[in-house]
Amino acid sequence: MFPTFDPESKVWTGPQLPSVFNPEVNFGKILLATMGLNPGKVIQYDADTGRTMTNGEMQLRAIRASQNLAALGLKQGDMAALACTNSENVMPVVVAMFFNGIPFNTLAPGHEVDDLAHMMRITQPKLVFCDVDNYERVKKATEVAVRDKPLLYVFESDLEGVNKAEDLLEETGRERMFLPTSNGDARNLPGIVLCSSGITDLPKAVTLSHAQLVSMYGSLVGVFKFSLLFNFSPLYWISGLHSLGLSLIHGIPRVITRKPFSEDTFFDLFEKYPIDYLFTPPSHAHLLLQHPRFKTTDFNRVRTWLVGGSPVPDALRDSLEAKLPNGKTVMILGTSEIGFVTTDFFKRKPLSVGAAAPNVRIKIMNEVGKALNNGERGEIWMTFSEKFLGYYNTPEVTAAAVDANGWIRTGDVGYFDEEGYLYLEGRQKDMLKWRGYQIAPADLETILRDIEGVDQAYVVGVLDEDGSSDLATAVIVKVEGSELTKADILEVVNDKVADYKKLRGGVYFVDAVPFTSNGKILRKKLIEQVKTMSLTQKKN
């Protein structure tokens, strides 16, 4: 169960664990079978309504949704988009799309119109799902981005004149005769399209095949023996997809809530349900540690607390583990393209993100494409046992990020030690990450540069106090004579963007910003300049 190193290719290979399921089979067929193994078992607890759903009920609703989607004329290869929280019937509809070979792009429920429209321009969905809260934004995004008007369904809606997602669960009379269609080559059949940041500073449409999903979640069947899992993540996040895979493939019940993360919601759910497997990004874990209820909450039943999505300070893990007498924290590094890439499940080492996960291969490359030895720093490249399909409908992006042998260039810099533990030293990409959300500086810079009185504008990330999140910070060169204030800028930007994109690091006015000789902004120097100004400001 430990990674191995090939000194010739300089590749670290995680444990080779073939899936117990056939990766040539539609992922939906496997879900149909696993749900049928224990139909009476409760597989979903809805914390908001108190309702539960068994495997058998989940299977029946998914079959009905599958048949009703087919009756609407939707077929294999038609794209869908899903901008939903974790409500009761999202999972049955998702399973139905797997049944039918309908790939779907998962979008953040809280995204603004521009963010939603960007992805819809790439995927051109024929079917879109959303919630009541984001209906108007999603509808607007389809109007500006999708050429042919898609079918739009709303979950748990009492709105007039809209398609209700629950109508897809109506009885068909043909449920007993159901079998998912063959769908052809599972290795080339798109299953799900996730959002990821990339070299363009805009989200990319990460396309995972049915075979890749089967291998991601079928290789450790029987290993995960947990009673109840929970995280706040919708399917937009890879951690949300992880919950789906663990729950339906491994038969582990999960708790769902439509509510976003808050400390009190976490503690309320944890006290109500016997959760023994949970995931939080480190920024959430930090907030929980600071809350008064953390000291009085009994964590004895927790066996695994996953932390990941951004750098995880060792002090934070130490504080968590002090409250886990029967469990431990596990660091995970994941990417949308592969899933879990590294983990330190068997051994924890300070500052490391762990060793290569099962069926993953990793190497460190220099600027000219030469593989480096252990201890040498370079760009992290990785690949998985099943091929990555690339970025949907953008072959030029795929060509820039994936080489001819399927190795994915991550843009992250790091090195391995002699035991195969990976250490991250930074990102080549300038993307910021706040509480798991990706922030493209270019998005904010565009808004800033449109403000009257702004000559130059750049956005950098400054780590917050616990080092787990980037605080978006604006650096402005004003037009000569402008009376623009920091408050003016904050008001304009924060009123226009989603909450996670707000300028939490503040605004700094400077006379000039550092450039290279060929006119490229030196962001590292700019960050150091901001740090110095911040320290001076605090002293004063």
Side-chain angles (χ1 to χ4, degrees):
M1 289 296 290
F2 294 95
T4 58
F5 182 66
D6 178 6
E8 184 174 343
S9 64
K10 299 179 176 58
V11 171
W12 279 99
T13 300
Q16 295 302 287
L17 301 175
S19 172
V20 301
F21 303 111
N22 184 354
E24 296 182 3
V25 174
N26 173 339
F27 189 53
K29 283 187 177 180
I30 292 170
L31 295 177
L32 181 70
T34 56
M35 287 186 290
L37 292 175
N38 194 349
K41 180 179 181 178
V42 173
I43 199 68
Q44 179 173 285
Y45 293 84
D46 188 332
D48 303 328
T49 66
R51 291 193 290 267
T52 61
M53 191 183 302
T54 64
N55 273 316
E57 292 168 333
M58 179 84 71
Q59 184 188 65
L60 180 60
R61 295 186 196 191
I63 288 171
R64 287 174 172 169
S66 168
Q67 292 174 332
N68 284 316
L69 286 172
L72 290 170
L74 293 157
K75 57 186 184 302
Q76 177 180 321
D78 289 341
M79 178 61 70
L82 188 80
C84 304
T85 57
N86 291 320
S87 59
E88 179 178 346
N89 287 306
V90 167
M91 192 66 73
V93 169
V94 162
V95 173
M97 290 190 285
F98 282 131
F99 286 167
N100 293 15
I102 298 174
F104 55 96
N105 176 210
T106 56
L107 303 170
H111 270 174
E112 297 299 326
V113 173
D114 287 348
D115 298 311
L116 297 166
H118 166 72
M119 291 305 299
M120 289 184 184
R121 286 190 184 97
I122 295 173
T123 61
Q124 292 296 307
K126 294 186 177 181
L127 175 68
V128 178
F129 293 96
C130 67
D131 297 327
V132 172
D133 291 345
N134 63 359
Y135 169 71
E136 292 297 337
R137 282 180 280 125
V138 171
K139 181 171 178 282
K140 179 64 175 177
T142 64
E143 292 170 351
V144 300
V146 184
R147 291 186 295 272
D148 298 321
K149 185 178 179 180
L151 290 169
L152 177 57
Y153 281 86
V154 187
F155 281 99
E156 300 181 335
S157 172
D158 56 4
L159 299 174
E160 294 293 332
V162 304
N163 296 315
K164 296 175 172 55
E166 287 72 24
D167 291 345
L168 296 172
L169 309 180
E170 290 182 355
E171 184 177 350
T172 67
R174 296 175 284 110
E175 291 86 351
R176 292 182 178 274
M177 299 178 287
F178 179 77
L179 184 67
T181 53
S182 175
N183 295 323
D185 182 4
R187 288 191 165 93
N188 289 300
L189 179 67
I192 188 170
V193 177
L194 301 172
C195 296
S196 174
S197 63
I199 58 174
T200 61
D201 272 4
L202 289 171
K204 298 180 291 187
V206 178
T207 310
L208 307 184
S209 70
H210 279 247
Q212 190 171 350
L213 292 168
V214 171
S215 294
M216 285 168 63
Y217 297 108
S219 61
L220 293 171
V221 170
V223 174
F224 295 104
K225 301 182 184 296
F226 299 102
S227 300
L228 192 61
L229 65 89
F230 173 70
N231 69 43
F232 282 94
S233 305
L235 279 171
Y236 172 71
W237 303 113
I238 189 69
S239 52
L241 178 61
H242 178 62
S243 291
L244 179 151
L246 281 186
S247 182
L248 296 183
I249 293 291
H250 297 258
I252 305 172
R254 68 175 192 141
V255 178
I256 64 168
T257 179
R258 298 152 188 77
K259 300 174 183 176
F261 170 81
S262 76
E263 298 94 312
D264 280 323
T265 299
F266 174 90
F267 288 115
D268 288 346
L269 296 185
F270 191 81
E271 290 171 2
K272 183 176 180 180
Y273 295 97
I275 298 163
D276 59 354
Y277 180 93
L278 57 92
F279 166 83
T280 60
S283 56
H284 290 180
H286 174 75
L287 293 173
L288 295 172
L289 283 167
Q290 307 306 312
H291 198 276
R293 294 175 69 178
F294 185 82
K295 294 180 180 179
T296 60
T297 298
D298 182 358
F299 290 93
N300 285 351
R301 63 177 176 269
V302 174
R303 295 165 58 197
T304 297
W305 189 325
L306 292 183
V307 284
S310 59
V312 184
D314 287 309
L316 185 147
R317 293 182 68 179
D318 292 340
S319 297
L320 292 178
E321 291 191 347
K323 292 281 286 183
L324 305 178
N326 301 311
K328 64 178 182 179
T329 63
V330 175
M331 167 67 191
I332 53 170
L333 172 68
T335 69
S336 302
E337 291 86 348
I338 283 180
F340 288 167
V341 174
T342 63
T343 179
D344 64 0
F345 183 85
F346 292 106
K347 181 181 178 179
R348 175 180 162 188
K349 299 184 76 171
L351 304 179
S352 173
V353 295
N359 304 320
V360 174
R361 294 189 298 156
I362 311 173
K363 60 183 176 181
I364 308 298
M365 303 290 283
N366 68 9
E367 296 87 351
V368 296
K370 178 185 176 182
L372 300 177
N373 288 308
N374 295 329
E376 295 182 307
R377 290 152 176 79
E379 184 181 8
I380 301 166
W381 289 28
M382 58 186 64
T383 189
F384 187 64
S385 57
E386 291 291 340
K387 74 173 182 178
F388 168 53
L389 291 185
Y391 303 99
Y392 192 82
N393 207 26
T394 48
E396 70 285 356
V397 176
T398 301
V402 186
D403 78 358
N405 296 314
W407 286 93
I408 301 166
R409 305 176 179 94
T410 68
D412 294 325
V413 175
Y415 67 94
F416 278 107
D417 67 15
E418 293 297 328
E419 291 186 281
Y421 273 69
L422 181 65
Y423 297 79
L424 295 181
E425 291 212 327
R427 296 184 292 250
Q428 289 182 337
K429 300 172 265 188
D430 292 320
M431 294 294 293
L432 313 182
K433 186 175 280 190
W434 184 79
R435 295 191 181 181
Y437 285 91
Q438 299 273 12
I439 304 173
D443 289 349
L444 294 171
E445 289 167 357
T446 298
I447 296 171
L448 288 165
R449 289 166 185 161
D450 285 340
I451 298 174
E452 186 175 353
V454 171
D455 182 28
Q456 300 175 45
Y458 296 93
V459 172
V460 296
V462 176
L463 289 177
D464 62 6
E465 290 184 359
D466 70 344
S468 65
S469 288
D470 296 314
L471 302 178
T473 306
V475 182
I476 305 293
V477 178
K478 291 194 289 185
V479 172
E480 188 175 351
S482 171
E483 295 182 358
L484 191 67
T485 68
K486 295 179 181 181
D488 294 333
I489 290 173
L490 290 172
E491 181 179 0
V492 172
V493 175
N494 291 346
D495 283 349
K496 284 187 176 182
V497 300
D499 181 70
Y500 71 91
K501 289 186 178 181
K502 290 182 177 179
L503 295 173
R504 286 180 165 80
V507 177
Y508 293 90
F509 292 122
V510 297
D511 294 327
V513 293
F515 289 101
T516 64
S517 59
N518 61 351
K520 292 186 178 180
I521 183 70
L522 291 169
R523 290 187 182 270
K524 285 187 178 180
K525 285 190 176 181
L526 192 57
I527 291 171
E528 292 304 316
Q529 188 176 337
V530 169
K531 288 180 180 178
T532 300
M533 289 187 291
S534 176
L535 288 173
T536 303
Q537 184 174 286
K538 288 178 181 177
K539 289 179 181 179
N540 295 335

